Structures are given as structure tokens and as C-alpha cells.
């Protein structure tokens, strides 16, 4: 197939561009498809079979369709309330986002897999670090989701088990982090630093996605009704519709065990690994940190995680599935 990606903002610090445009384009080329990335739709070859509009370009779909009336047009990372009949399919990264795109008939999941980590060196865990190093990477608003449980667990572990250093890699390392920041050593890093070395210097990774509604609505757990199936022991979760497991994939690829939260897309990984390293409140986060304090167990988990990535998250296999779905729209 001749496939053209259109972006108005080719920024490699943006995950959706890096993985769904640059990496996916490369993977499709490796599979024998003629794939190119454009920043101007007037430069796209008139013989193209499919045009995929990235996050910065999907609202130009009407202009694109007027020039390529016979072309199948897809879109990446669109707003769930944006509806346009000229979009034939939507690419999403998780079941959470899939469920939110009910206004579109064709919604295809393509996991957010980083090609650049496919051949990363192995990580060997030991007990040589003076500190227990916990790694976070991702967009800085996720850091506010440390409040209150993850924050509390890290502080307790720091006092009762081993001193902690929290290594934070984000696109805006200078922002004034306050809510959720644990009272331990915190080192902020930019993505431009040596990402692999920083991550692989750490013992475990954390991927907070969900917020507990009780933080902003204290007392909500008292709203209980047996007739409506509401109990004061319920979970109170809030998350983005675009929540996904992409940040966990990176840790899996780099050999760093992950403490997952209750994001739905985490459960697929938890089932495949079988370790159920998952937490939500302070007690469960602390339990999993203590469990992963054993470096032999960390090595065991890291090896299994890497095998899961190799067996189930090969980008070429997922790209083949995606192409088959796109081809079906042209038949």
C-alpha cells in the first residue's frame, strides 16, 4: 500500500508523533509498504491509498478529502467529541480510548511501542545502589497522581526500609511540582538526557494514571446505597479517556519491574506476566515496593516482562494487523 502520514507538528517529544507516525511509518516500510510523512497535504502523492492524520492535523480532514476523494483517511489521537464522516477509521492506543470512540465505526488499537528500545541492553539487578531508585517518566501532570497514596508509600519505604531517590524524566523538568511530591530525594531529568542510562540505573518503575476522586471530593465514600450497589468500600477512580500502558511498555523493554495502578490497560500486562504487581492505596504500594526490594525477584520479573514484550508486543505483528484492517475498508 501507499500510505501517507500528515502532521503539522513533527515533534519527537510528543509520544503520539514519535510512535504512531515516525515509528509506525518505519515499521510499515519494513513490511514493504511505501510510507512517507508529510507536513503539507499538497505534497502528498495523488496515488496514495491511505492518508493518516496525526493529532495536529486531523481537523484538516475536509480539505484533505476534497483533494483525495477516493482515499481512505484515518486519524490518530483525536478528541472523542470530534465527529467527521470523512474519517474512515481511528487509531487508538488502549481499550480505554477504544471505548470512548463509540461515535466511530472503525476504531483500531495499535499499542504505543517505542522502536528505539527494541534492542536495548539487558538490565541486571543487584543490591549495589546506595539508594532504592524509583523511576517515573512521562508528562508532568501525571506526577500529581502521586497524591496521596503513592506519595505516602514512598515516604514510609524511605523511613522504614531503605532511603529512596525518585528519578523523574519529563518534558518540563523545571515546573514547580508541589501536590503529590514525596519528601525524599527527587532528581528531575529532561528527555534530552541519556534516557536509557537513567531508567536502567533504577530499581523499579511507577506509572500512575488514575486519580482517586476522594482527593478532590472528600467524603464521597459516605454516599452509599445497597439498592444502587454503592458501598463505602468501592474504588473511586478517575482517568483520562486516552489512558494507556505506553509508559509501562518502556520499562518492560528496559528491564525495569513496574508497579501498575488500576488503569484498565494495565490488566492485560498483569495477566500476561502473572505477577500481579499492582497497587492503588498506600498499603498496596508499600507492599509491592517491599516485594520488589528483593533484587533476585526484580531480575525474575524483568526477564518475564521482556519476554512478554517480545511475544505479544512486536510492532511488526501489530502493524500487519492494522494494515489488514485498513485494506478491508478499501474492498
Amino acid at each position: 500500500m501507499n500510505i501517507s502520514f500528515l502532521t503539522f507538528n513533527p515533534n519527537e517529544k510528543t509520544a503520539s508523533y514519535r510512535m504512531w507516525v515516525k515509528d509506525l511509518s518505519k515499521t510499515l516500510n519494513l513490511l514493504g509498504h511505501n510510507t512517507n510523512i508529510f507536513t503539507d497535504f499538497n505534497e502528498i502523492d495523488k496515488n496514495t491509498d491511505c492518508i493518516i492524520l496525526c493529532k495536529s492535523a486531523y481537523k484538516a480532514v475536509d480539505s484533505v478529502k476534497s483533494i483525495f476523494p477516493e482515499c481512505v483517511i484515518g486519524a490518530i489521537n483525536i478528541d472523542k467529541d470530534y465527529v467527521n464522516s470523512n474519517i474512515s477509521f481511528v487509531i487508538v492506543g488502549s481499550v480505554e480510548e477504544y471505548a470512548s470512540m463509540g461515535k466511530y465505526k472503525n476504531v483500531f488499537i495499535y499499542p504505543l511501542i517505542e522502536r528505539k528500545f527494541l534492542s536495548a541492553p539487558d538490565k541486571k539487578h543487584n543490591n549495589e545502589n546506595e539508594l532504592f531508585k524509583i523511576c517515573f517518566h512521562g508528562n508532568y501532570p501525571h506526577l500529581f497522581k502521586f497524591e496521596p497514596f503513592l506519595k505516602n508509600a514512598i515516604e514510609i519505604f524511605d523511613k522504614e526500609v531503605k532511603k529512596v531517590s525518585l528519578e523523574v524524566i519529563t518534558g518540563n523538568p523545571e515546573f514547580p511540582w508541589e501536590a503529590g511530591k514525596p519528601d525524599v530525594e527527587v532528581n528531575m531529568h529532561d528527555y534530552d538526557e541519556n534516557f536509557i542510562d537513567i531508567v536502567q540505573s533504577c530499581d523499579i518503575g511507577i506509572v500512575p494514571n488514575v486519580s482517586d476522586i476522594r482527593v478532590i471530593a472528600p467524603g464521597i465514600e459516605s454516599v452509599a446505597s445497597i439498592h444502587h450497589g454503592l458501598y463505602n468500600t468501592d474504588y473511586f477512580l478517575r482517568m483520562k479517556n486516552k489512558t494507556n500502558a505506553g509508559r509501562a511498555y518502556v520499562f518492560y523493554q528496559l528491564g525495569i519491574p513496574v508497579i501498575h495502578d488500576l488503569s484498565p490497560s494495565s490488566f492485560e500486562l498483569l495477566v500476561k506476566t502473572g505477577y500481579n504487581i499492582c497497587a492503588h492505596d498506600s498499603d498496596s504500594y508499600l507492599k509491592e515496593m517491599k516485594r520488589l526490594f528483593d533484587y533476585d525477584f526484580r531480575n525474575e520479573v524483568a526477564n518475564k516482562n521482556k519476554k512478554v514484550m517480545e511475544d505479544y508486543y512486536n510492532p511488526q505483528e501489530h502493524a500487519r494487523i492494522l494494515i489488514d484492517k485498513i485494506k478491508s475498508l478499501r474492498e
Side-chain angles (χ1 to χ4, degrees):
M1 289 186 72
N2 293 318
I3 303 169
S4 299
F5 288 86
L6 179 66
T7 176
F8 297 150
N9 182 29
N11 181 359
E12 292 201 27
K13 288 190 176 182
T14 303
S16 61
Y17 171 78
R18 195 170 63 247
M19 287 176 269
W20 280 331
V21 179
K22 183 182 176 184
D23 280 3
L24 179 54
S25 176
K26 182 175 181 178
T27 301
L28 292 173
N29 276 320
L30 290 172
L31 292 174
H33 300 280
N34 181 24
T35 310
N36 294 284
I37 301 171
F38 297 91
T39 56
D40 184 342
F41 52 74
N42 293 303
E43 296 177 355
I44 297 176
D45 190 320
K46 295 299 187 294
N47 294 319
T48 193
D49 299 308
C50 174
I51 298 174
I52 300 177
L53 310 176
C54 83
K55 182 178 182 179
S56 60
Y58 69 80
K59 291 186 178 179
V61 61
D62 291 334
S63 297
V64 173
K65 189 66 175 180
S66 68
I67 300 172
F68 304 91
E70 303 302 318
C71 191
V72 173
I73 299 177
I76 297 169
N77 209 10
I78 70 173
D79 186 273
K80 71 181 184 68
D81 294 321
Y82 181 81
V83 180
N84 192 308
S85 60
N86 286 324
I87 296 176
S88 301
F89 66 93
V90 176
I91 296 175
V92 301
S94 66
V95 294
E96 294 94 317
E97 190 173 5
Y98 176 92
S100 75
M101 302 306 281
K103 293 177 181 177
Y104 285 91
K105 179 181 178 181
N106 301 303
V107 183
F108 305 145
I109 296 178
Y110 183 83
L112 287 153
I113 306 166
E114 292 267 20
R115 286 197 63 90
K116 64 184 177 182
F117 301 133
L118 292 177
S119 56
D122 289 339
K123 156 75 177 181
K124 180 67 175 176
H125 289 268
N126 53 53
N127 60 354
E128 294 176 359
N129 284 342
E130 292 184 8
L131 302 169
F132 190 73
K133 300 182 74 172
I134 300 174
C135 186
F136 165 93
H137 73 91
N139 195 13
Y140 73 90
H142 289 292
L143 290 168
F144 303 123
K145 296 172 184 180
F146 281 53
E147 180 71 29
F149 305 124
L150 182 51
K151 172 184 183 294
N152 293 342
I154 290 173
E155 291 176 345
I156 295 169
F157 189 95
D158 179 80
K159 290 182 174 66
E160 296 183 358
V161 182
K162 188 173 183 177
K163 286 293 181 183
V164 169
S165 77
L166 177 61
E167 306 298 319
V168 174
I169 309 171
T170 186
N172 185 13
E174 303 299 326
F175 87 98
W177 182 21
E178 293 182 4
K181 185 177 182 180
D183 185 18
V184 299
E185 179 180 324
V186 177
N187 299 306
M188 306 294 288
H189 306 275
D190 190 272
Y191 275 111
D192 291 334
E193 297 179 47
N194 195 327
F195 183 92
I196 292 178
D197 285 352
I198 295 170
V199 173
Q200 290 196 323
S201 74
C202 295
D203 298 298
I204 66 170
I206 46 176
V207 287
N209 270 313
V210 302
S211 300
D212 195 290
I213 297 173
R214 291 172 294 181
V215 175
I216 58 173
I220 192 172
E221 65 273 18
S222 65
V223 180
S225 168
I226 191 169
H227 300 294
H228 293 90
L230 301 176
Y231 304 93
N232 59 13
T233 53
D234 292 343
Y235 285 110
F236 298 86
L237 306 180
R238 179 173 179 171
M239 70 197 79
K240 295 196 312 180
N241 78 295
K242 295 178 180 179
T243 294
N244 61 76
R247 287 179 291 137
Y249 296 152
V250 173
F251 285 128
Y252 275 44
Q253 289 173 299
L254 297 181
I256 305 299
V258 176
I259 300 179
H260 291 275
D261 70 0
L262 291 179
S263 306
S265 51
S266 293
F267 301 147
E268 180 179 294
L269 292 168
L270 293 168
V271 168
K272 284 180 167 56
T273 62
Y275 289 111
N276 297 325
I277 303 173
C278 185
H280 177 65
D281 61 10
S282 299
D283 289 337
S284 55
Y285 267 115
L286 183 60
K287 170 189 171 182
E288 299 304 333
M289 289 178 196
K290 290 179 176 178
R291 191 178 173 198
L292 289 166
F293 186 57
D294 178 347
Y295 68 89
D296 285 329
F297 182 57
R298 292 203 301 275
N299 280 313
E300 178 185 325
V301 172
N303 290 334
K304 181 62 178 289
N305 287 359
K306 200 156 191 177
K307 189 173 188 312
V308 164
M309 289 301 297
E310 292 169 354
D311 290 348
Y312 298 100
Y313 298 97
N314 182 305
Q316 292 187 201
E317 183 57 33
H318 283 279
R320 287 190 188 97
I321 294 170
L322 177 63
I323 283 295
D324 286 344
K325 291 177 178 178
I326 294 172
K327 284 181 177 178
S328 71
L329 300 178
R330 293 176 50 81
E331 295 173 353

